[in-house]
Each structure stands twice: as structure tokens, then as C-alpha cells.
DNA sequence: AATGAATGAGCATTCATTCAT
DNA sequence: TATGAATGAATGCTCATTCAT
């Protein structure tokens, strides 16, 4: 009987079916380990995650985990890399190379919310982990987040560039500002989505677009808001 | 000589002046402990924070920490409570009770960004900690975040209610949606502010308002954006 | 009942009386820990030594060991330093500052054998450990051995300098050669002593002096041995 | 590609040329494994040696190592046996069966130093390993050392027997005493040789003989040294 | 004959928490 | 009130050894 059953699960430890699976080729096993790590890191946070649990969930022993990914840090970084890749890919493929910036942003955001709804763990690992655990992790997380933001900036900047006739307040680094705001909003809306399970990604995007894009369009057209004095 | 000096500081351990302080009244000492805890939790994250360092930073011995706050979890919860209180208060006082919803939102957000700029640790502890460390912490963090969002919802909802004539897409729980988005955006903009140290809180608010409020106003007026098909 | 009793002693684990001793002042406890470490390192070798056993033998828990000496390596280095100090002191006090080099060497060697007979562990730790475990250990062991050899070299060199009229083969770095040889011989003779428990240190010294000093004296006087051809 | 390449070499791991070798006769392969083991044990010490590295260095997989030598302990014992054999043989062949005891001792010691200079690993494995790792190893090491000492004792005892007319202090087990001392000296001089790379084995022997043999000869002739009182 | 894949068991180190004073 | 001294319980990581092919 596998070690999983013998261990006292702490709280509601993630478990899996107890199928004896052995002798997998390296590449397959490696992906499975990353799958497991992703879930555990997402559930517990980096520090609270325990390598033992990752091994259990992957259905192998701890030494295998270390043989494949080298260290807890290595596990985490592998997760970040793979999931960033996945998210960016989903984003890009959806945004495509169309002509209408609004359309592309809408498609990209929809893909984003769809991805997060389908792979909550990925997002949680990428954006809900304190980057203070180590130099390497900080660097990796920063890079990952930057690369996600870059996708948005690409779309936004594009839209702004095209539409920016006499825009006043939307200027130089505004695309970056907006990207920060949009990604932050999107992050937070992943929580909102959990509270509204029925809502499809398109709905979330529609709301967010209405909340922001309409305004940005108007602003670009010169209708600037200023605090009343 | 205090234990602080004998221990090898790990990396750049937060330190304080080595003044001998004794016999403080309970309430004062307790606040000092929470001050220390806040800094350490913000710097390291909940799990990585070490009670020893908190005690050192507070200038007292570990047993005192336990005497006052009971446990590491107790420390953390005390931090959350106090800082939520502070943030909400700052928000409320700024938003005031004026008549113009936009003005109130603007004032509230400005206070928010001003507060975060001045008390980064508070915000980091409230919004950058994984809530999965324990039941109690999850509950406390959820409550704290809800209560921050409630402030925003109050302003937004107010504004929406007053202006919402024939709004189509802004309906029942839209205020909550917008609050999520705004708080998330604000959180993320917290990072943006670190990259642009010169920008005053008012500037950040102005940009964010232009990005969202203008649009929301239009939407309320019936100008809805829909994805091109 | 203490943890000592609960643990399954592997082979013949060194144990001690199970007296509950608590709250010792730091300096005393530290010496006791070094005592325990010395025994365990001597018995098992650096790698095979287990910190748990050291803690058990010192009658405390493992965290105390780490609080006091920092790491297994720290424990080992502390042992080396203290015991080198002791051995060198014993050597020096015995050799004194007399006039007769032979007498001083004899006294020093006698002290040496006496010390080793009485503190086998010290010697074993200083001279029977592979210095390849870490940079720090290699350095420390090298220094320790050098400093022991230096004592001998001091005496030998002294004797040689005084008596060296027309010495042919005993010249420049001969003192170092002889020191190596003598210390090596002495090391090996500590084993011989274990096989001959009755023999007093003076006896061992007498034999060794007869084996070497007489010859060196003659050599200094010009009577050189050369291989027959 | 072999596993050697994928593993990160820890510090300066001993490596070898990456030639693919297969289907060697049992006896050859076994010797190659012992060669590899010898180097690794010498470099790291018994405990710190890792079977993986031995397999890598031997250019085969770990299971083969176990198939041939059974266990880490088995590897070590095989090393001890083979190298003892080699050293003793070198010693014997050099000492020959001549008539002059001094000459034979000189030749034996010269062979010894030559052997050690040429096969440092062998000596290190035989004389620089703590014998406390296991019963079997302790026994094997003791036997090996005894058998090396026996060679010396043979020569010494022979010399003493022949020359010992009215020797006073050289008596019953003196040969064993001298053998201990000589082998210990020789061991330590092994280090000295590393510090003086130019010195040929003959030179070392000459110095050692002058240091000891001349004296022993005199002592045998009755000129005994005694401590001044 | 040979090996890639796998693991049980151990070990150094850390940390929240509590006594004894 | 205040603390120096102490520890139980993890947790990351390693290594000798063995299957399944």
C-alpha cells in the first residue's frame, strides 16, 4: 500500500487515486510532478507547501522529486515557467493579430478569464505568492508577472497608439499604468468569479470592458475627468 | 547584552535601536509588538516570519510576545485587525459624507493610495498574504478584504444608485464587481507606484478615475460596449 | 523519562547517566556539549557522527546544540580548537624552558603520551579525521596539526641548533622532517599503547628517545649512515 | 548520454573519459570498479564517498557495482584487500632476502615511500580511514595495518635478533614497538613528501634511517639514553 | 549482461512554544 | 513583570539499495 495511505493527512490534504504507476519516461513523470507541485503551492503557499505532499500527490517518493527538479525552489520555478508559458500562449492565441484593438483586448481578456477559471492553480501560483522567499524566486516571479503584463501592454499600447489623436492624459507610460490596473483588476476578479460560479468568462470580460474601455475611449477623445474643486 | 546582538542576523534582518525599555503599560507595549510583527510579516510573509525576529525588533523577549498576543497566529490576526481599522478609517474620513459620488470616490481612492504609499507594510500584510495558512487566518483575511471592498462598494453603489436611470448592464451586484476590480487595480497600482516614486497619490487616482469612472458614467447613460462579432 | 531511553541505541551507543540537569549557565553547558561532541566524533568519525547522539550524550535536546555551536561543523571546529589548545598547553608546560634540549624533548613527549593516554578522544579527533569534509574543517585541522608539530619542531630545532657543529644531513628543514616523523610515530604509538595498557608514558618516551635521539645525536656528531651499495 | 553528464558534479568530482565500454570479462570489470572505488574512498573518506560517484567513475551503472561487490562495505573491503596485497608485495620484493638487515630495511622503506608516492590513494585508504564504520571494516583495516606492520617487524626483528648481544632496553616486543613507530613516522612523512615534491623516496628513506637506525644500532651496542634527573 | 527508475530510512537544521526563575 | 534556557515536532534533502525491463 502506498505511503499516501499511511501518512496522516493534515487537514484536508490533497490526495489522488491510489493507482500504482511505475516506470514512466522521464518527461512524462516530470510533468506530473509539476502538476502536483502546482496544486500544492497554490493551496498552501510556497513556504507552507511541503515537498512530501507534492510527492504523495504525484504518486511517487520524495527522492524522485529531488532527482527531477532538484529542490523545493526548483519545483516552484518550474511551475512558474510552465504556467507563465501556458498563460501567455493562451492570451496570444486568443488576441490573435486582428485589426481592431478593442476586439483583440476583449479576446485576450476573455482568454485570460477563461484560463484562470479553468486553471485557478496556475494563476494563484503566478500572482498570489510573495516574491520574498529567495533571490531566484523573486526574479522568476517578477519576470513572469512582467511577461503577463507585457501581453496586455501590447494590446493596450496598440489601441492607444492607433486611437490617440489629441489624447491629453494618456501618454508615454500610460500603457504600463493601464496594464497594471487591468491585470490587478483581473486578478481580483478571479475571486469575484469564485463567488459567481455561473458567470462565463465572456460575461466578466464584457463587464470589465464596459468599465474601462468605454472610458478610455472617451478619454482618448478628449473627455477628461478632473476632480471637482 | 541582549540576545539580538549575539544572533547572526539572517540576510538584512530588520533591526532597531538598542534602547533598553522596561515597564511600559500594557497597551503601549502591545502596540509596539504589533508594529514589529507588521514589519516582519510584511517583509517575510506569514510562514517565513520568525517570532524570534519579531521579539527582537520589539525589543523584548519571546515569552512576552506570547504573553501579549498568544501565538504567531494571534500576532498576525492582531496585525490584520489593526491595519484594517486604520485603512478603513483613513478611507472613510477622506470620502466624507459629501454629495457628489465621483468626488467622494476620488477622495477615498486618493486617501487609499496615500495610505498605501505611507504604510506599505499594512497593505502588504492585508492583501499580499495567502489566506491558506489556517482557518482563523483565512477568515480574518477574508473579513478584512471584504471590509475594505465594502468601503468602495459603498461609494460606488451610492453613485450608481443615484445615477442609474436606465442602466442596462450595471445591475444588481455590479457594485461588488466594480469594487473587486477597483481594489484589485489599486493593489496592483501599488506596485506601479513603487516604479514611479515621484507620482503623488492624487495623480494615481486621477489616472484611475479617468480610466474607469468616465466609462462607467457613459455606461450608466446607456452607452454600452459590446464585442464586435 | 528522557529521550535517551526512548531512542533505540544503534550498536553500542555512548550513553550517560540519566540525571535531569537543567538551567546551566551558558559557559558550562557549552563545555559539556563540546565534551559530548568530542566523544562522539572520536568514536564515529565526522561524517558518521550524528548530532542526535551528541545531544543525547550531553543530556540536552538537539536545538540546544545548534543554539550553542551553530552546526555540526561548528561543533567539530570547537572540538578541534579546544583540544589543540589543551594538548599544546600540556606540551608546553611540560617541556618548560630548561636548558637541556634532550631533557625538554623528553619531557614534552612524555607529556604528550600522558595526555593522549588520558584523553584519547582528543587525539583521535585531532589526528584521525580526514580533512576532506569541508573547507573550514580542512583549514582547522591543518592548523591544529601544524600547531602540534610546531611544538615539536621548536624543541627539535632548538636541540639541533645548539648541537649542530658539522652536521651533514641534518640541515635546513630537517627539524620539520623530524617533527613529522616524531609526531607520526607518536600517533601510531598511541595504538601500541592501547595494546600494552600497563606501560606508563615515561616508558614509551624512553623507548622512542632511544630509538631516535641517540641516533640523531650521533648523526649530528658526524656519524652518518648510508645505504650499502 | 550517460548519467554522468546530467548530474551536477559536486565540487570537483573525479571524472573520467566518457568512453563507452561494454561486455568486459568479469575479472577486468571488477578491477576497474575497485580502481574507481579506491579513488573515491581516498578522496572523500568512507562515509562521504557516494556509490553513485564510484559507478560514474567506473563508467557503469550502479546495479553493476552491487552485482560485483555487493555493498558499499564490500567495495571498501575489496579495496583494502587489493591494496594491502600490492603494498606488501612491493615491500617484500624490495626487501628481498639479503643478508644485511640494515640494507633490507632500507630497501623496504624505500619501496614503501616509492609506492606511496606513486599510489597515494592506496595508502590513504589503508591508513587514513577511521576503522569505526562497521565491525567488518574495523577488522579488515586492523588486519591490513597489522600485515603492513608485520613486514617491518620482520625486517626489524631480524636485524635486532642478529645484532642483539647484550641489548638492555630492546627486548621482547621491541620489534613491534619499533614497527609501530616506523610505520607511523612513514605515514606522517607521506604528508611531508607532499610538501617537498622534489624529494625522491631514497632521500626520505635516508633521512629516516639516519634518524632511527643509527640510534638503534648504538642502543643495541649498549649506549642507552636515559632522562637526566 | 546491463540499466533506468524507484524508494525506505536517515540526518542536519529550524521554529513555535513553554518552563523555571 | 520579565526572561534565559529548553524542547517536540517538523521539513528539506541525501544515499544505499533494489526492481522491472
Amino acid at each position: 500500500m502506498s505511503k499516501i495511505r499511511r501518512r496522516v493527512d493534515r487537514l484536508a490534504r490533497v490526495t489522488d487515486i491510489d493507482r500504482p504507476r511505475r516506470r514512466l519516461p522521464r518527461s512524462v513523470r516530470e510533468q506530473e510532478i509539476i502538476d502536483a507541485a502546482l496544486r500544492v503551492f497554490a493551496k498552501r503557499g510556497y513556504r507552507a507547501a511541503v515537498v512530501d505532499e507534492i510527492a504523495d500527490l504525484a504518486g511517487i517518493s520524495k527522492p524522485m522529486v529531488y532527482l527531477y527538479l532538484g529542490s523545493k525552489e526548483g519545483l516552484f520555478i518550474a511551475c512558474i515557467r510552465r504556467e507563465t508559458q501556458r498563460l501567455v500562449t493562451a492570451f496570444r492565441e486568443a488576441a490573435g493579430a486582428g485589426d481592431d484593438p478593442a476586439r483583440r483586448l476583449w479576446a485576450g481578456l476573455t482568454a485570460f478569464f477563461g484560463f484562470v477559471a479553468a486553471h485557478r492553480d496556475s494563476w494563484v501560483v503566478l500572482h498570489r505568492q510573495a516574491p520574498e522567499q529567495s533571490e531566484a524566486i523573486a526574479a522568476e516571479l517578477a519576470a513572469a508577472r512582467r511577461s503577463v503584463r507585457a501581453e496586455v501592454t501590447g494590446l493596450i499600447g496598440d489601441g492607444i497608439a492607433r486611437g490617440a489623436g489629441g489624447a491629453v492624459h494618456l501618454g508615454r507610460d500610460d500603457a504600463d499604468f493601464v496594464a497594471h490596473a487591468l491585470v490587478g483588476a483581473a486578478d481580483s476578479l478571479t475571486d469575484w468569479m469564485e463567488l459567481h460560479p455561473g458567470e462565463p468568462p465572456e460575461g466578466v470580460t464584457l463587464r470589465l470592458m464596459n468599465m474601462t474601455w468605454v472610458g478610455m475611449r472617451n478619454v482618448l477623445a478628449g473627455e477628461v475627468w478632473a476632480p471637482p474643486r
Side-chain angles (χ1 to χ4, degrees), chain A:
Chain A
M1 180 174 290
S2 112
K3 207 163 130 201
I4 304 175
R5 302 299 159 225
R6 257 175 288 134
R7 280 184 134 270
V8 179
D9 284 11
R10 60 149 93 187
L11 294 177
R13 248 201 182 167
V14 190
T15 51
D16 72 339
I17 317 109
D18 201 354
R19 50 195 160 167
R21 250 179 332 166
R22 324 188 101 232
R23 312 267 147 194
L24 291 189
R26 279 186 98 87
S27 56
V28 176
R29 180 103 312 161
E30 182 165 312
Q31 292 307 310
E32 291 193 1
I33 296 176
I34 298 180
D35 290 341
L38 192 66
R39 283 176 67 187
V40 176
F41 283 131
K43 175 160 191 172
R44 310 227 182 265
Y46 179 72
R47 277 290 288 239
V50 168
V51 179
D52 259 298
E53 189 180 0
I54 295 173
D56 283 2
L57 187 58
I60 56 173
S61 67
K62 229 186 330 178
M64 287 267 79
V65 173
Y66 280 89
L67 181 61
Y68 278 76
L69 278 313
S71 68
K72 190 182 182 181
E73 196 184 57
L75 273 171
F76 192 59
I77 288 179
C79 290
I80 296 178
R81 292 218 172 114
R82 196 185 73 179
E83 299 312 306
T84 303
Q85 187 58 45
R86 285 185 175 175
L87 175 50
V88 166
T89 299
F91 202 88
R92 260 183 209 157
E93 285 179 355
D99 239 17
D100 180 355
R103 214 231 107 79
R104 293 184 65 210
L105 181 57
W106 179 79
L109 288 180
T110 302
F112 172 84
F113 286 113
F115 182 88
V116 172
H119 310 83
R120 248 207 103 47
D121 293 344
S122 309
W123 180 255
V124 168
V125 161
L126 290 182
H127 268 75
R128 299 277 169 91
Q129 302 281 339
E132 318 299 341
Q133 309 296 357
S134 84
E135 288 292 317
I137 289 181
E140 201 68 33
L141 272 180
R145 292 173 189 176
R146 226 180 296 121
S147 119
V148 168
R149 241 172 13 239
E151 293 303 312
V152 180
T153 312
L155 296 183
I156 300 285
D158 208 29
I160 289 175
R162 288 165 184 264
V168 177
H169 281 277
L170 281 180
R172 230 196 126 316
D173 55 4
D174 278 313
D176 193 43
F177 180 93
V178 173
H180 266 95
L182 270 185
V183 170
D187 175 15
S188 188
L189 289 171
T190 61
D191 291 339
W192 186 88
M193 287 167 75
E194 288 210 316
L195 302 173
H196 301 73
E199 191 86 9
E202 288 81 5
V204 180
T205 318
L206 187 58
R207 288 164 181 265
L208 185 57
M209 287 294 282
N210 267 303
M211 191 183 153
T212 57
W213 184 252
V214 175
M216 292 198 292
R217 209 172 42 185
N218 286 47
V219 169
L220 288 174
E223 187 199 342
V224 179
W225 180 89
R229 59 208 74 179

